[in-house]
Amino acid sequence: VLDLSNNFIESIETNCFWNSSNLENLNLEHNKIRNLDNFLFSKLLKLNSINLTDNQMTNLNKQLSNLKKLKNVYLSSNPLK
């Protein structure tokens, strides 16, 4: 589990999680994230839960598409279009 909630994070570098391949749960809620790079989570093949609740995200494209183990995605309180 990696809990980065409530840290006023606005952006995340593309390679930030590339050495975290065993990560299963990621909590990014209550930050100020607007955009996620398409390859940000590409190395997180064991990720089964991600919480992006209460950020500033307006869209979610392919960022989560290759995560085969992903079961829980939390996106509430974002201005998604």
Side-chain angles (χ1 to χ4, degrees), residues 18-67:
W18 285 11
N19 290 320
S20 305
S21 61
N22 290 318
L23 185 63
E24 294 183 13
N25 296 291
L26 177 58
N27 186 354
L28 292 165
E29 71 179 316
H30 304 294
N31 282 295
K32 297 180 182 243
I33 301 169
R34 290 183 175 273
N35 297 306
L36 297 172
D37 183 273
N38 283 341
F39 300 101
L40 179 63
F41 304 124
S42 64
K43 305 289 185 183
L44 298 180
L45 302 178
K46 294 184 179 181
L47 192 69
N48 65 46
S49 180
I50 185 167
N51 190 342
L52 291 161
T53 298
D54 194 25
N55 277 284
Q56 301 299 316
M57 295 178 50
T58 56
N59 64 49
L60 189 63
N61 293 324
K62 298 179 181 182
Q63 294 88 344
L64 305 176
S65 63
N66 72 326
L67 302 176

